[in-house]
Amino acid sequence: MSDDIEKINEIFRIHDEQISSTDARTSGVDSAPPPVTDTKKERKNLTKEAPMKKVDRFLTDSDGRRQHNYTGDEESERDYRPVRQSHEYRSGCLGGMMYFAFIVCVSVVLACLAWMAASDMLALNKDDFNAVVTLPSSIFQSETVDKLDENGNKIGTKRVTYADMEYVASALKDAGLIEYKWLFETYCKFTHSDTKVSPGEYKLRSTFDYHALVSNMRAGSTSAATVKVVIPEGFSMHQIFLRLEENGVSSYNALMDAAANETFKYSFLEGKDSLGAYRLEGYLFPDTYEFYVGMQASSAINKMLDNFNKKIDDDMNARMEELGIGLDEIVNVASLIEKEAANDAERPVIASVIFNRLNYDMQLGIDAAVLYPYTDHEGAPTAEMLARDDPYNTRIKLGLPPTPISNPGLASIKAALWPDSTDYFYYALDTASGTHQFFTNEGDFNAFVATQNYE
């Protein structure tokens, strides 16, 4: 610090000497060599010098003229130019302004996009109208996945159905319910909505936001369109599935696939997987149902199976235990009764004929069973059908058919559980009355048949 002060003092001393020399030349008096003075005394005098005097020394040259160039160089044209900001300063300022403008523009664009996206997602400022959207079963696919407990351990499997959300987004876009397909698909991806929608026909409002749209495109929602379908007693599974397809409930192929592959948790279906789709024959309870239009095939089937399960009450179970007969045999017999009986009064009588023949190891000889494999055939069985070695050909095979041949109603099921006690082994249709005549022996039976024209 002391060295720096010494240097400053030395500079001030040199400038004082230059000023003194200049004053002497100006007055025309030869100046004498500067007297040797004490340095400490000079510093003392220097500190007493007026501040403006010091400034003047820096602003004048050795001749006392004002300096325009403080570097000590000779004057030049540049010394007389006006002071201007540097090029770097001006470029930096312009760049900053352009960057600021860019940020503002980007912010405005992003804000507009965010508002547009929010308006679509939340259904803001939309005209109120209704639109019908149909999600066909063909856009859904199912797969079996592991079912895990809380600790992540596998405890079984379950079937999970996924929807093609690109198709769903397109359907909503075409209906005018959404504006941005990509935004809806992104929302569905993050919310796993592909597992939350169901096949069907839905009446949706334009004021539904994304969450409401997904919630209302599932079975059981208030937006789902429904249709009433009557399933008559005695319809086969084939006939039932065709009727469901005709009414827009689900496609025949989807129903057959579900019948063969879906898991239905009912005890009466246990051990029947080898039968494929035909494991359900006899258990699709005939009734009047309200189905969702375009609903999932397995759900439509389960609705009928659940109805059957509820119809089998404790009295029926007790009766089966009393007879020593299982539910499968009762349903099989009931399916034959359903196809043969002309009225309710005949049901327990026909049931007695069937059990009598079974007890005596006689072929049942029921043509309705012979015709079961020929779903498109109408009329009586042909000679070729009657001669064919088929498990459903009760003309040549003993016992009951491999599966029920129809889906019986409650009256036929009860007739199979509580048959009349008779000695009848034969019956034939009386074409005049449209009812059946019953016989205890083959002779009487053949004599009556000879009087009828069954063509």
Side-chain angles (χ1 to χ4, degrees):
M1 182 69 177
S2 59
D3 292 341
D4 294 337
I5 294 175
E6 288 293 338
K7 290 180 180 179
I8 294 173
N9 289 336
E10 181 64 21
I11 293 172
F12 286 162
R13 187 183 63 80
I14 293 171
H15 279 279
D16 287 343
E17 291 175 354
Q18 290 177 351
I19 292 172
S20 298
S21 175
T22 302
D23 292 341
R25 287 196 302 270
T26 303
S27 60
V29 180
D30 293 335
S31 60
V36 178
T37 58
D38 182 44
T39 304
K40 293 183 178 180
K41 187 175 181 180
E42 290 179 356
R43 288 200 299 269
K44 185 176 180 181
N45 293 333
L46 184 61
T47 57
K48 294 180 179 180
E49 188 176 12
M52 293 304 296
K53 189 76 172 181
K54 297 177 183 178
V55 174
D56 289 341
R57 288 204 306 272
F58 284 102
L59 298 178
T60 57
D61 56 18
S62 58
D63 297 330
R65 295 193 298 271
R66 182 174 297 275
Q67 295 187 113
H68 296 282
N69 191 332
Y70 304 138
T71 61
D73 298 333
E74 294 183 0
E75 293 181 354
S76 64
E77 182 182 354
R78 181 178 179 82
D79 295 325
Y80 295 94
R81 293 178 182 175
V83 178
R84 295 183 299 172
Q85 293 177 336
S86 66
H87 175 72
E88 291 80 0
Y89 176 81
R90 288 184 284 108
S91 298
C93 183
L94 180 60
M97 294 178 63
M98 293 180 63
Y99 179 73
F100 176 76
F102 173 76
I103 293 299
V104 171
C105 292
V106 170
S107 300
V108 171
V109 171
L110 291 178
C112 292
L113 291 176
W115 172 251
M116 293 168 64
S119 297
D120 195 48
M121 185 179 295
L122 301 177
L124 302 176
N125 301 320
K126 286 190 174 182
D127 295 334
D128 191 0
F129 63 88
N130 294 325
V132 176
V133 173
T134 301
L135 304 183
S137 299
S138 58
I139 70 166
F140 292 81
Q141 57 181 353
S142 301
E143 65 177 357
T144 301
V145 299
D146 294 338
K147 189 176 182 180
L148 307 177
D149 60 16
E150 295 179 354
N151 298 322
N153 300 317
K154 181 180 177 180
I155 57 175
T157 59
K158 62 180 179 179
R159 294 281 288 179
V160 179
T161 302
Y162 301 93
D164 180 358
M165 297 312 293
E166 183 177 353
Y167 180 97
V168 176
S170 296
L172 295 175
K173 169 70 174 176
D174 293 341
L177 298 172
I178 63 172
E179 290 292 334
Y180 310 109
K181 287 175 52 180
W182 65 268
L183 184 61
F184 182 79
E185 291 178 28
T186 302
Y187 169 84
C188 292
K189 183 177 296 184
F190 281 101
T191 57
H192 304 288
S193 298
D194 56 343
T195 62
K196 298 177 182 178
V197 297
S198 309
E201 184 176 291
Y202 303 97
K203 188 177 182 180
L204 304 172
R205 298 187 63 177
S206 60
T207 54
F208 285 168
D209 59 18
Y210 283 5
H211 175 75
L213 287 173
V214 172
S215 298
N216 281 275
M217 289 188 294
R218 65 178 63 178
S221 73
T222 56
S223 297
T226 60
V227 59
K228 284 188 177 181
V229 181
V230 177
I231 307 297
E233 290 87 349
F235 259 33
S236 67
M237 179 181 66
H238 169 73
Q239 291 172 308
I240 291 174
F241 288 173
L242 285 177
R243 175 157 292 192
L244 293 180
E245 182 178 62
E246 291 169 359
N247 285 271
V249 176
S250 188
S251 70
Y252 177 85
N253 291 336
L255 290 163
M256 287 295 290
D257 180 71
N261 300 308
E262 290 290 343
T263 299
F264 301 101
K265 297 181 179 180
Y266 298 98
S267 58
F268 53 79
L269 295 179
E270 293 177 357
K272 294 185 173 68
D273 290 345
S274 61
L275 296 174
Y278 294 93
R279 61 186 172 143
L280 304 185
E281 191 71 272
Y283 303 97
L284 303 172
F285 194 78
D287 207 340
T288 299
Y289 293 93
E290 187 172 14
F291 293 104
Y292 293 107
V293 176
M295 71 185 297
Q296 192 167 327
S298 59
S299 298
I301 291 173
N302 192 72
K303 196 177 185 74
M304 293 179 282
L305 294 176
D306 184 63
N307 195 12
F308 174 87
N309 190 52
K310 292 176 180 177
K311 298 297 183 183
I312 307 302
D313 57 25
D314 293 339
D315 290 342
M316 295 180 183
N317 287 319
R319 177 60 175 170
M320 283 184 279
E321 187 174 349
E322 178 185 343
L323 295 174
I325 298 176
L327 180 61
D328 291 346
E329 186 174 350
I330 291 298
V331 172
N332 203 327
V333 171
S335 72
L336 297 171
I337 296 171
E338 195 67 70
K339 297 297 288 185
E340 294 289 289
N343 52 54
D344 287 345
E346 289 185 358
R347 297 179 197 277
V349 184
I350 291 178
S352 71
V353 174
I354 292 173
F355 281 115
N356 288 341
R357 282 178 166 261
L358 289 174
N359 292 334
Y360 280 85
D361 290 333
M362 297 175 61
Q363 289 89 353
L364 294 179
I366 296 177
D367 288 349
V370 177
L371 291 170
Y372 178 73
Y374 307 95
T375 57
D376 296 327
H377 180 77
E378 296 181 2
T382 64
E384 182 181 359
M385 294 176 184
L386 294 175
R388 183 179 177 183
D389 186 9
D390 186 278
Y392 288 92
N393 188 351
T394 56
R395 290 287 188 100
I396 61 178
K397 297 291 182 180
L398 292 173
L400 293 169
T403 68
I405 63 170
S406 71
N407 292 273
L410 204 55
S412 293
I413 294 175
K414 289 183 176 181
L417 285 169
W418 288 277
D420 284 353
S421 179
T422 70
D423 294 330
Y424 297 136
F425 285 89
Y426 302 90
Y427 62 87
L429 179 64
D430 184 346
T431 56
S433 64
T435 60
H436 290 91
Q437 297 293 322
F438 296 89
F439 309 94
T440 60
N441 59 79
E442 187 175 7
D444 292 342
F445 168 74
N446 288 333
F448 177 78
V449 170
T451 64
Q452 302 297 310
N453 181 8
Y454 293 125
E455 295 181 358

